[in-house]
Structures are given as structure tokens and as C-alpha cells.
Amino acid sequence: MPFIPHTEADVQEMLDTIGVSSIDELFAEIPEAIRAKPLEKVPEGLNEMELMRLMRERAAADEHGLRTFVGAGVYEHHIPAAVWEVATRGEYYSAYTPYQAEASQGTLQTIYEFQTMIAGLTGMEAANASLYEGGTALAEAILMAVRAHKGKSHRVLVPETVHPSYRRVAASYCGAQDVVVETIPYDPAKGTVDPAALDAIEGDFAALVVPQPNFFGRLEGEAALAAKAADRGALVIASVNPMALSVLTSPGEWGADIAVGEGQPLGIPMSSGGPFLGLMATSKKLVRQMPGRLVARTVDTDGREGFTLTLQAREQHIRRAKAKSNICTNQGLAMTAATIYMALVGEAGLTQVAGVSHTNTRKLVARLTAIKGVEPLFEGPYFHEAALRLPKPATGVTTALTERGILGGFELGREYSGLENGLLVCATETKTEADLDAYAEALEAVL
Amino acid sequence: MPFIPHTEADVQEMLDTIGVSSIDELFAEIPEAIRAKPLEKVPEGLNEMELMRLMRERAAADEHGLRTFVGAGVYEHHIPAAVWEVATRGEYYSAYTPYQAEASQGTLQTIYEFQTMIAGLTGMEAANASLYEGGTALAEAILMAVRAHKGKSHRVLVPETVHPSYRRVAASYCGAQDVVVETIPYDPAKGTVDPAALDAIEGDFAALVVPQPNFFGRLEGEAALAAKAADRGALVIASVNPMALSVLTSPGEWGADIAVGEGQPLGIPMSSGGPFLGLMATSKKLVRQMPGRLVARTVDTDGREGFTLTLQAREQHIRRAKAKSNICTNQGLAMTAATIYMALVGEAGLTQVAGVSHTNTRKLVARLTAIKGVEPLFEGPYFHEAALRLPKPATGVTTALTERGILGGFELGREYSGLENGLLVCATETKTEADLDAYAEALEAVL
Amino acid sequence: MLIFDHSRDERSNKAQMPAGEADLSDLPGDRRRSSSTGLPQASEMDVVRHYTRLSQKNFAIDTHFYPLGSCTMKYNPRGSNEAAMLPGFLGRHPETPAAYSQGILSVLWDLQEMLADICGMHAVSLAPAAGAQGEYAGVAMIRSYHQAHGNHDRDEIIVPDSAHGTNPATASMGGFRTVEIQTKPDGDIDLDSLDEALSERTAGLMITNPSTLGLFERGIKEIADKVHDAGGLLYYDGANLNAILGKVRPGEMGFDVMHFNLHKTFSTPHGGGGPGAGSVGLSERLVPFAPVPLVAQAENGSYYLQYEQQRPDTIGRMTAFPANVGVLLRAYAYLRMVGREGLERIAEHAVLNSNYLLERLRRYYKVAYPDRRAMHEFILTLEDLAKSDAHVSAMDVAKRMLDFGMHAPTAYFPLSVPECFLVEPTESEAKETLDQFVAVLADIRNEAESDPEIPKNAPYSLPVKRLDDVRAAKELDLTYTGEPKAAG
Amino acid sequence: MLIFDHSRDERSNKAQMPAGEADLSDLPGDRRRSSSTGLPQASEMDVVRHYTRLSQKNFAIDTHFYPLGSCTMKYNPRGSNEAAMLPGFLGRHPETPAAYSQGILSVLWDLQEMLADICGMHAVSLAPAAGAQGEYAGVAMIRSYHQAHGNHDRDEIIVPDSAHGTNPATASMGGFRTVEIQTKPDGDIDLDSLDEALSERTAGLMITNPSTLGLFERGIKEIADKVHDAGGLLYYDGANLNAILGKVRPGEMGFDVMHFNLHKTFSTPHGGGGPGAGSVGLSERLVPFAPVPLVAQAENGSYYLQYEQQRPDTIGRMTAFPANVGVLLRAYAYLRMVGREGLERIAEHAVLNSNYLLERLRRYYKVAYPDRRAMHEFILTLEDLAKSDAHVSAMDVAKRMLDFGMHAPTAYFPLSVPECFLVEPTESEAKETLDQFVAVLADIRNEAESDPEIPKNAPYSLPVKRLDDVRAAKELDLTYTGEPKAAG
Ligand SMILES: Cc1ncc(COP(=O)(O)O)c(C=O)c1O
Ligand SMILES: Cc1ncc(COP(=O)(O)O)c(C=O)c1O
């Protein structure tokens, strides 16, 4: 069998030591009545060569050479070769959660550096070692805000401009705990939430979620929204793209109590949807309410610097039913990759990646809106992703674009009724002028 | 600039320390008259993203999905994923030659294990840490045999059944040292050297080269050849495929004094021709005549086992003009990969890879010779590669096969006049029944 | 040295700097960041060197025996990694239409089918991102099921005292109260305690089988009947599935819903904490509530993802995008290499290794359930040593093991056994390694008795000595602000 | 522990075992091997674990500062590796027709062109597998050239006393006698000595510039003229090209032929000993003799390889297959990332780093050529320390450095300077690292003077202590035969 080293002689010796005559005897405590029927759907084993042949065929089946102009929460950025060459080193790849600190300083220090970087990006005081992804990070932030809310309100306001799938995840997570997730509509001209609209909402609420940029790529009036929420005793949850944070004011600066987001843009491949990287940062005051692992720097018995898990009393393995979350396995390896990514590109590099991506999207918007009937869907600034209005429903258009090798964007009508002609487009730093031209040509042709 | 960490402040501080005012001043000793003109052919630098786009385009240009049925010295075998994931770990990849033994135990022990494996495969007492590739390994063996020959003959006999390119490399290497490489013809019916033919060759010679299997895939009468050479006081050089050694008697068993070969089949990709891996093994008696690095096991001052380079007095950095060879940089990383490959497949695995490859070639031969006009070119046993006679010149046939996605074999007429219709085919363990069928169908169609 | 120590203003890594124009002039000035992000600016070489060296400070399966109970630290095939990292899989945006995604969807479909077969249940959803999220999906489905049947008062989930922390934590997240039941001295669940706990408020029971004590719950059929009779559903925590692959199927034991820990049983790997995948298996009555997406096959044989529209009763989405696909790919690759027969061999050799170790260690340490047959893991208790004059705790022994190049077993879990080690060798380890492990544990026992200070101050040979956890929590230095950590 | 210690009869790694039939019945019995090959039979995990752990025992650029003079241990970009390992390149059989190989051939063509530009020569052949083989190709061309001109008596190659060992070794392989000339106290070649050496038997002169002393040979033009006047050719050993990239071109200095060490200058990397690539640059008069293959462009713009047929005067093939293509790909990737301007910056910062170190180390160690400007490397001599009462040799200091996590510089080369260190920091290293290096060397100087036993017994903290080379050579244990290495 693959991956089992035992020789027959080994097995015999071991059985003798145990004092049984067959391996079967070791399973004697399992009642006969419930023994498994033979499996039907699991085929015979393949060797690695056969496996790779199979997997190469399947992977090749999906290589259509499409040029990706869709973002909508997942972004195609260049990933330096060093990121995954180092992250998949056996010592990172095949280690467990760093419970034995002295034998896990590699992972622990990496987490500490990651926490520092995420705190720096978000302008917050503390960050955890990751949650599953952006959607659950938002859901956990909502639950955390409810726990932390002084007024004990169970109501959280979530603008419609928050990623629709994030809102769905929040709904899946919050219902059972009687947390009410209430939607706030957006201004259809601007594609953002009018801060004044908040005034119309009566009653207490535990938190307001502020997406920045929002799902449409638009910049919300984040500071005004945050101020209004704070005035009413609510916490402010920022839902952000870490790439954007290199160029936009940070949640810490505009009044967020909790910042969450999707770390995928930081060196994680699009991978059909995961594994991604849930980010969460908060203030020192709230850190004991935060879910997920935390690493602290400390010293060893010789007084030398070292790293260890801390505040574990928040977690399920200590606090059990009273834990802040049930999360156990997180996204460790993606966290490692993101840390290496951030270290490789550095402060200036991240700003440049964000800046070029943004500029490419602007160029794309210019080219596409030069086509008759195509215009910006909303007025006002956006970051590296923009909503356009097409002269006809977007769905047919994207299908036609795909046939021309262009993954043209996210059809807003899938999530927003009334926006059937809306298309959300994005061009990251990976796109060349030729790519932008190709898109414009294809769109012109299919409209 | 990429890969240069200096900040302007660093540079200024460093210049101050040195006591010069500019970097240019550091080059003051270079006469103005010979300063370089600006480069014309080196373009502006690319970042890694741009580089990868360029390289992916170039690599994709060569992905034609051809099924490889050509061997002729380079064989497509499955390479376990672990081989290169481990071999390209930074500690192996970016280390230098292990001159500081205590800081290079990883590389040194790996070489020692490699030497042991190659000695085991060849049935010899000692092996070196690699030469460039199979051709130079043969050339170096010829030079070594001439050095070692008691009768001081400068004449070496090389059958025509030795890989034609190996013979060319030997010619490039030997001429300047007045070593005469003399060709022995083969029996056109059998595709091997008739041992009796040796008797007809008069005079002293320093060595006889015995290829096993030979370039046609045929098994030579290796023991008889070796015995005849030994009787005449000549050394015997075996030129072997290490893959074959798992199923064929070893050079050590049939009387070789030096065994050389190409290690590419042991986990090294075909890579358009290199880097490959020159193998050389010999007896303890001759080891001081051997070129290339050698590692010995020894002990440290605490008596603990450790590994170090040894017999360096054979090498250029000690012996200079009197060195056994000028080789310095060898094929270290390929050696590491081959060691990991051999450890992963193990004794039984290598035998199985060889056996399945051989069987696939037999099946291919059966399918192809079932086609009218196609027949074996030679009578007698072969290993995993076979020469066929086509009803017309092979060159046109292979071109037509390539258009049908089949890399059909090596056209023997390129190297052997009279064999214009000859085609050397090979099917390794990577080929499925469907692949074999596809070849047969294609050949039937193009003949 | 922290990565930040390699940073200098002005330093930058040009090879990773996109060359295009970066024109942010359209962004309003008050939105433009002026503060530093604090990201380091180091050379590419220093970054590679830093993280290469850091990584070397880890124990990992690729470097050490790592018999962490409940974690199934088996070999992570490099072939699975290579297969999952093929560019065709990695480069696919999740919004790519199904027509252009049949390669990946066919893999996921096959995986759903294989997992359903392995667990003996009706269907599988690959949506959950880890075991705990699989549990959440499970209790959410239990909740939806009861609500769909008009049972709004079933607000209790029963768990045994030996349960993993995620079980009660999940119950709480699902809006349930946790009711704990007892384990008998022989390690099986106390049926009286169960009877007592069961009521018309019972929504379900969550258990692991083999339990976290490494024992097969012999009364499982009776337990299942009791819970079902009381109107509850049975949740199977699949963390210990490795022990019974192909031998017993949770569905056939009577479970209604379960999660797999693909990162354990199917070795995808652990990655220093994750990512995982917590695919859930469901009996027929729970299928309508399955978390989306599910991979479905259309009439024409092509695959597509089903969401809320096709599955209106779903408990919803677990993550914003489909799933931890990269993990699923590795699990698929592993399963295909192992194959049907291999699955049984895994269970057999995991159990063999565990019983062999148990038998050999009996001489040196107290076995918590000496009269039971161990499954893939077993428990030692070091209470005698901790309470002896030597006062050597399980923690001390664990730390000392590290000096001998062995990762320690899980310590202090399950909570129901004092000073315990939960030892899970897995099927990947050769007898030689197990023998070495026994020798090390025997030596440490000796040390503990003859010179207890040695284990109490261990480890000695690691990058750091024993770390000060108390100070860590007190000072709460969670991010680097430029200060070195002062001694003392 | 050796890999063979993980081996057991009967053990096998099924995942790497092809499933097909293995029918060897057609092979004659007397040809079938019955003896064991001795290859280990270990589990895949144990193999991965073994080599992962072994690798950790190396110092490498990815883990340590490695200022090995003459070796140019600079950062090896991971991007170059990724680019070279693309399946389109790796999976190509060398017999694939050119029509199906335009991708790789275009890369090699571009590389030929760029290298020719960098060396200022007429053409480049990528054939040689390493520097030494490039040298061999060079002297073979020199030989062919003279023979083509009817000069059969030119059988001497002149090399300076500071030459790298491969130079005289190559001259011998090329059938030449080596004539050694002297270096003056200022490090330049002694022109009188050259004059004396030159004659009608002179085939050529081989030198490195900057020399292996790290000095720019100021008389190079005069030397070139003298050699040319004597009817000889000039060979440039390109090992030190890093120092002068874009600053001076060998062709413009008067050299006729040279090799590049792509694994040094273009960082392809060293791989623990190789592989390398020793591409050769040629002046116009040597082009006919270039080793084959050369990449050529056909009328229609497509690329193909030229062999003996198209190039009848070639010295022939260096290897049976085209070249170390994987290495060439990495060099190409590196060159494209660095670009025209980057090349000059490399030279500048390599020389800056070297001069900075030299200046700072002057206080602690004796500089061999104190009045000269260093290029990319420089020489310290520790003769004073070795001859002092402390008797601390360069070897002792080198070994002690390892304890401080610094690889030692090249020691005892060049042979012309006693007890020397040849220090080459390269442009990749940050000032912080250089400063640390100075601190370490200063500390060791202190130790050597105050407590010489410390360096003399170093290293202490590595996987092994100082190894017994004498015993290694005496016992000559070159292969494992199952015996442990006995102490004593
Ligand atoms: C018994 C048991 N249940 C559940 C879990 C939770 O699984 P995960 O870590 O994948 O969320 C674990 C993991 O440690 C476990 O051991
Ligand atoms: C000065 C000099 N010349 C030649 C060589 C030989 O090059 P290679 O090792 O690539 O054969 C070296 C390599 O060490 C060298 O330093």
C-alpha cells in the first residue's frame, strides 16, 4: 500500500508483541453488525504517475486562456515565485498548529510577524492568526461586536454594498444566535450608503458594517458612517481589501473597532475559491473578545525572545461551550504565504501593486466607456474595480465575451435587481495594455 | 535594481568609510581606454511578473502534446513529485561545493549515499560525485584508462554501437592528448559487436569500451568482450544505462574496470538536453586515477560519524596541471535529485520501472511489427529500446508521425549509413496501452 | 531577528515591483493614506533567507515523528501537492462559468461521491472550511430539520465529557445548550447518564467514534437507538475516521450527519494550523438542508454548482466562495492514490501501530484504559509521576521529548483524564521509529525518577528554552513596535 | 543516520511503483541480474524526512552569508527557478524537431546574443557544461586556430601563478604545457616574466581579470599586445566577470576567447557543486572552431541548431546532448530581470561591498594588497596569526566563523598568498550583514589572541565537530557496506 511502511515481518513482530494473532483481532471490539459493506465508489488506487496523468488532464481541461477581468472579492495578482516555494517547505507545510511552542518557533514567529503586518495595514492594535476567509471573518466580527456591545443589542446594520456572499455567510452564522442582520440600502446614483440614511434608522444597534471599498468598488463615506455609528454607541466593523489599505486611509484612522477582510490578494492564488485567508484586527481593548489564535512575544527561561500562543482561554479547546468561536484549524499556510508576500513586496511594493491595479482599471473604464452605450453605473471614486452600465443585460454579454477569451466581469443583476445591465469590472497589475485593448475590442464586437 | 539591497544612505555611508566620493572612483584602476561601450543587445530589466509572462509564452510555444517514443540516450520516466520539491530546497539549491565540510554535511552525506548507490548499481567498489553527463563520463573514462594502462598504450577501442554522440564527445576530449579512439564495427545482422572481431584487431590497446545495452538497445556479449580485452592487458570500460542495471548483470560482475553512464533516467527531466548527470564508478585499485569529487565517511574530534571530501590531490585545485581532469563544478543538484529518486523508488521500484519500460517497448515492437513492412532491424535481445526497419526512409516517416502527435523515434540513418530505413523506438513506463495503440495507428496511417 | 529588522526605508525589491503607471490622482485626498503600513522593506534574498531559517525552527512531519493524538499527523504526499498546484487549478477565478470549469468540477463531483461512500451516507457537501465549520453546518442542519418538523423547543445538544472543545463550542454557536454526559470507567459512554440527558429538548448528540479516548464506543447502536427514539439526531465528529476507514461507516452506525477532517484523514496537510476542509456527510432526511454549493450533474452529464436557488432549504453558505478547493484537490489526490483497498490498510496499520506502542509503553507508563483495545490512538496518564515527589508533569515529559527529536503527543486532552498523553502514531510510521519512541519515553521515565530537574527544565536543545506563557498573556505583546523583548 | 538505515527488505513505496506488467522473460538468463543493487527500500515519508533533515545541515545562500571568494555566491532568484521549471521546457526531449521547439530555441538565441554583447565578442557558444569545460573548449579552439594556420609547434599556454587550478589543468587536457609567470608585489602580472615566457611556442595566455587576487590587471592592454605580437591568443577566465559587468568587456580588453560561469555571474545557482554552464565567447577569428551546437536563425526567421555538418571546423561536441539547458534558462531569466542597467549596478555594488568590507577589516587583519583598490573580492592574509605563538591558522578562523552563522571565505586560494582568505561578499548582501561579518571577524581575532584554543577546536555548534581528513583519506570509506563508523 502506498504510504504504509510495514513489512510482513514488522507486522508479525508487532502482532506478537501485542499478543494477538491477526490485525483483524484488533478490531474485535467493533460489533459485527455494523461492519462496513464494501465501498463502491472508491476506485482502485493509482500510483503517483497515474494520478498525475489524471490530474493534468483535468487541470488542462480548465485552461482556456481566459483573461480575467472579474474581481468581485477575488483578485488576480502576481504571486512572487518565492512565496509558495518557501511556504510549501516541509517544515511549514507539514507542521501542526504550534501547540508545542519550543518546537514551533518558525510558525509562531511567522504568525507574530503576520499579526504585526495586518495590524499595520488596518491601523489597528492587534490582529489574529487568521480566520477561514473574508465572509466568515465578517460573520465572526458581527458576533464579536454583539458580545462586546455595551447596550447588549443583537442588531447589526449591514449595507447592501457589502459583498452579497459575505452577507449570506453572516446570515448563516448569526441566525442561530438571535443576532439580527439588518440591511441598509444604497444610493442608486452613487452606489454607496448615504450617511444621512443612518439617521432614519431608529433604535439601538450593536454595530455598523462599513465596506471600503464596497462591493461596487466605490469608496464609502467611511468616516462619516463610523462617526454616526459611534455616536449611537455602536461598534464599527470595517470590511476591507488589504490591497486597498496600502493607498486608502486605514480603518484604525477612520474609527473602526474591528477590521475584517479577505487576505487572498496577498499572495494567495484564486484557486477556484479557496483556500483563502480571513483577516481580523481590533483594538487592545477588544482583543479578549476576538476569536481565533493569537501569538505573543515573550521570553524563555534564559530571557531570550520567543513566541507562544496566548489568551487561549478565548478558544474552544479551553473554554468549550463559552468560547468566542468554535474555530480550531484556521488558514495557517495561507497566512504564511501572505506574510512572505507582504515581506517580499514590502510597503512600497504593495502601494505600487495597488496603484498599478487601480490605474489599469481606470484605463479599462476609459476604454470601455468610450464604447457607445457603455457608461459608469455610479458617480464617484472607486478603487481598482468599477461598475459599468451596458446597453443590454450583462449576462448575455459576458457569455459572448467568454467565447472571445475574456472573463468580462461580475454581472450585478445576479445580486441586485434593477442592475441587470450592470457589470463589475476589474483589471489588476497583471493586465497589459494589449489585454485592455483586447477587452475593449471584444466588448465592442459583442455589443 | 533587483536583487541589490542598498539604500542611498547605505551607499553614502559605505563610500565614506572607504574614503571615496563615488562608486565610480572604485573603478579608477581600470584604464579609461578599455571602458565598455553601452550594451546593445541586453534589453531593459523586467520584473518577475513580466519575466514569467514571457517565459510562459515561450514554454507554451513548445507544448505540442507530443507523445515521446524516442529514447536514444534520454528517457522519459516518471519523476516523483518529492524529488525536485526536496532537491530545490534552498539548502541544497543554493549551497556551493562542500568545501567547508562541517557546514555542508547535508550535501556531503547525500554524495556519500549517491556513491554507494552508484557503486551498488554498477557492481563496482567506488563511484564519484558526478561528471557532466554520459558523453564526458565516457571521455574521462577513456583518458583514465590510458593513464592506468600498464602497457602505456594510447589506443582505445570503441564499438560503433556506442552512442554516436558519446563517440563524438570522446573525440573532442581525447585528440589533444594523443589518445587514439578506434572504432570497431558491428555485425549488421545482430547490431552488436562480434567478440571474435576483437581477435582480428592487432596490437596493444589500453581499453575496450563495452556499451550495455548498446545504442540500438541490443545486449552486447559483454562478458566475452570483457574477457578478451582483459586477456590482452586492456582495461574494460562499461558504458551503461543505470536503469538497465536493475535488471541486467552489473559491469562489476562481467569484468569492467570502469563503469560510466548517463544518470538522466534517475529522476532528471529530459529538459531539452540537460543538465544531466555523468556517472563513473571503478575499483578501489583505480580510484586514485578517477576524475571528479569523492566523499569519504570519517569521524569528527568527538568520534562521531561525518563526511568530507577526500583524495583531493587528484583534482585541479590541488594538482593543477597534473590533475586527473580539469573538472571543478559538476552536476551536484542533479546528483541530489538522482539520490532522492533512487531512495524513493528503491531496489524493487527501479526494477519495476525498468521492467515495465522494457515490457512496454516489447508491446510497442509487437504492435509496430504487425504493420506490413515493419520488422526488427536486428535479431537478438534488447533492453527497453529497439531498432526497427521501415519499408521506407525513416526521416519522412518521423516527420509525418510528429504531425500526428507522435515523437516516433531516432532515425538511424542520421548516424549509420545503410540504416536509412532504421528507426530506434522506445516506450517507457510512462506509456499507456492507449499511447501504444496511438503510435501503431499513426504509423499505419503514414506508411 | 524579526523580518522588520531587515527593513530599511528606501530599500525595495524591484523584481516584485510592477512597472506600470500608478496614478491615484482620482482618489480624494482625504481618502489617501498618509500613515505608514509598517510593512518591512527588505531585499528578496533577506526575505527568502529569513523565512527559510524560520521554517527550520519547526518540527513537522517532514522532519520529525509527530504523534499528536486526535490530529492524525501522517505523511503528506508531495504528489498531492504537485497535483493541487497545477496552474489549471490555481489560476481559475471562482466566477468562471461552469462550461469552462468541467475539469475542477469533475474532481469535486468524484470527491463528493467517494466521501459519501466512505461515510455510508446519502450525500456530501464539500462546503465547510474545516472540521469545526463542518460541525457548525451539522448543528445548523439539525436545527433546520427540527424546525422544518415544527420542533422549535429542541434546544439541547448532548456531548460526552471527553468531547473535543469544538463540539460544545459549536453547539453554542448553533444556538444550543450543551448537556454533558459521563464516560464510564471502561471508557464507554454511561448509558444511564445518556438516558438522563435525553428529553424532548434534545436536538441531537455529538460524538466521536473511536472516541477521543481512542476507544471504540461499543454501545454505539444502543446509543443511536436511544437518541433517535428521543427524537434527536446523531452527529459524528469525523476527526478519528482514520481508525475505521473501510471498516465501519458512520452511516451504518446510525449517524445522521458528520464532518470529515480532510486535513487529517486525507492528509492534505496541516500547514502549521490550516487550511483544512470539513466536508459534511448527510443522511437522506438532512439533504435538503445541506450547505451550498453542492456539485450537481446536469442531464447532459456536465457538472455545475447548486446554490440557494436550486436548494431553497439550505442552511446557506459557509464561505463567500465555494470551498477550500485546494485542500479538496489534495484530499482527492490522496484518496485516488490510496484507493479502496488502501483505505482499509490505513485503518489497520494505524490501529496496529497504536496497539504496538501501547503494549510496549505499558512497562513505563500507566495506560488510562488498560483493559480496552486501543484504536488508532491511546491514552497514557502521568498522574503518578506528577503526584510523586518528583513532581514531573506531562508537560515536563512532553518538553523533554523534544530534545530527543520527537514531537510530544497531545497533552492534557481529553480533559477527562488527568496529566494525560494522547498518542496517535498513524500508519505512516515504521516500526523502527516506534521503537525509538519507546526508547525515548523509557529514558525520560528514568530521568524523571532519578533526576527530575532534567525534564522539569527541558527543552535544552531547541531554538528557545521553555517559554514564559504567563508573561506572554500579561504583557500581551501581539505586534512588533520596534522594541526588543527585554530579558527579566 | 544513512538512508540505508531506513531500508528493510520487502518494504516498498507503492506510490512510485508503476502498475504495468514487467515481463523480462525475453532477456537471456545469463544477462539477468541476480545480485542486489543495494538500493534502499524505505517509505516515501522516511525518504522525504531523511533528505529534508539532511538538507538542513547545509549552509547555503538561502540560509547564511556565504562570502566565498571566486564563487560569486549571490542570491539565486526563485523566479529564475520557476521559469526554468515550466513543464514546456522540462518535458522536451532533445531530439524534438526544431519546428516544435521554437520557444526554447528563441530563448537560447537571445541568450547567445546577450552574452556576446556582454563580453564584447563576436559570437557565443552555449555548449560547455561548466567553466572548466568552457576553458577546455577555449584551449581546443586555440589549438585548432594555430593548426589551421600551420602553427603546429605552439604547445605552451602561459598562466599566472595566481591562476585557478582549472587553468593549468585545462591546458594539460588540451595537450599544452603550462608555463607559469609571476605576479609583482603590487598584484599585477610581472611583464618581464611574461616577456621571458613568450616565444614561438606560445599558443596563448589564460588570465582572469579582475585576477584571483581581486585586483584589476592594469597592464592588460600591454599584456594583450605582447601576447598577440608573439603570435599567441588571449583566453579570459570569466569567473570574475561580476566585478566588471557593463564596465569593461573582455573583447575590448583584447581577449580572443573566454568562458562565462553562468552559475556564478548569472546566479543559476550552484546546487551544492553544480550544474553550471560555461558558455564561451569568441572573437571573429575563432568562430569557425566554436563547439557545437550553435543556435542559428534561418532565412524565415526560425531557429535551429547547427552541428558538424554546418560547421565543419568545429572543435566538436562538449556533451552528447546540446547543453545544460536548464542552467541556461535560469541565466536567461536572471539576465532579463536584471536588464542592461542592472548589470552595471551589479558590478558597482559588488565592488562597493568588497571595498567596504576590506576597509573595515583592515583594523583586524592584514590585507594582502593594501595599496590596491579591490574589485568584487579581496585577500586577507592570516600569516601573522598562524606564525604567532597562538598558531591560529586561516583554517581555524574559517571553522570558528561557522559557529557564528557565517560561511567562511575561500581559504588557501590563491596559492600565491599564504594563509589567505579570499572574500567575495557579492552585491546581494545588505550593509547590516557586512557589518555583522566584520563584528564576527573582529571577535574571532580577539579570541585567537586571547584564547587560541577556541578557534583551534572550532566549530562547536554544527552537526559535527572538526572532521578527520587524514583518516578519511587513509580508510577511504567511499561507500556504505553496512558498518557503522567506529570511533577512535
Ligand atoms: C476530535 C476533534 N473534533 C473536531 C476537531 C476540529 O476540527 P478542525 O480543527 O478541522 O476545525 C478536531 C481538531 O483538532 C478534533 O480533534
Ligand atoms: C577563477 C576560476 N576559474 C575557473 C573556474 C572553474 O569553473 P567551473 O567550476 O564552472 O568549472 C572557477 C570556479 O571555481 C574559478 O573560480
Side-chain angles (χ1 to χ4, degrees), chain C residues 460-481:
Chain C
Y460 303 92
S461 61
L462 278 89
V464 291
K465 292 198 172 175
R466 211 178 289 193
L467 290 163
D468 188 339
D469 285 332
V470 175
R471 182 163 163 185
K474 209 176 72 196
E475 296 184 355
L476 221 51
D477 174 354
L478 303 174
T479 60
Y480 182 64
T481 52

Side-chain angles (χ1 to χ4, degrees), chain B residues 96-97 99 132 293 316 326-330, chain D residues 69-71 129-135 162-167 208 210-212 237-240 259-264 270 273 276-278 377 413 422:
Chain B
Y96 200 73
T97 301
Y99 289 132
Y132 301 133
R293 260 168 234 144
Q316 47 74 28
N326 68 343
I327 193 168
C328 178
T329 291
N330 61 15
Chain D
S70 206
C71 300
Q133 209 186 35
E135 292 177 34
S162 65
H164 191 260
T166 49
N167 297 176
T208 317
S211 68
T212 60
D237 176 337
N240 290 347
H259 77 263
F260 293 84
N261 297 74
L262 298 183
H263 43 303
K264 299 182 179 183
H270 280 283
E377 60 189 358
F413 174 79
L422 180 61

Side-chain angles (χ1 to χ4, degrees), chain A residues 171-201:
Chain A
S172 314
Y173 260 68
C174 295
Q177 291 183 66
D178 296 326
V179 171
V180 180
V181 174
E182 200 172 306
T183 302
I184 327 179
Y186 64 91
D187 176 337
K190 295 196 174 150
T192 55
V193 174
D194 183 354
L198 261 192
D199 300 336
I201 294 173

Side-chain angles (χ1 to χ4, degrees), chain B residues 149 157 195 198-199 205-210 222-237 255 257:
Chain B
H149 186 240
L157 304 183
L198 264 191
D199 300 336
F205 54 97
L208 167 72
V209 175
V210 180
E222 73 285 7
L225 287 168
K228 281 184 187 289
D231 278 353
R232 293 171 65 177
L235 283 86
V236 176
I237 299 170
D257 299 290

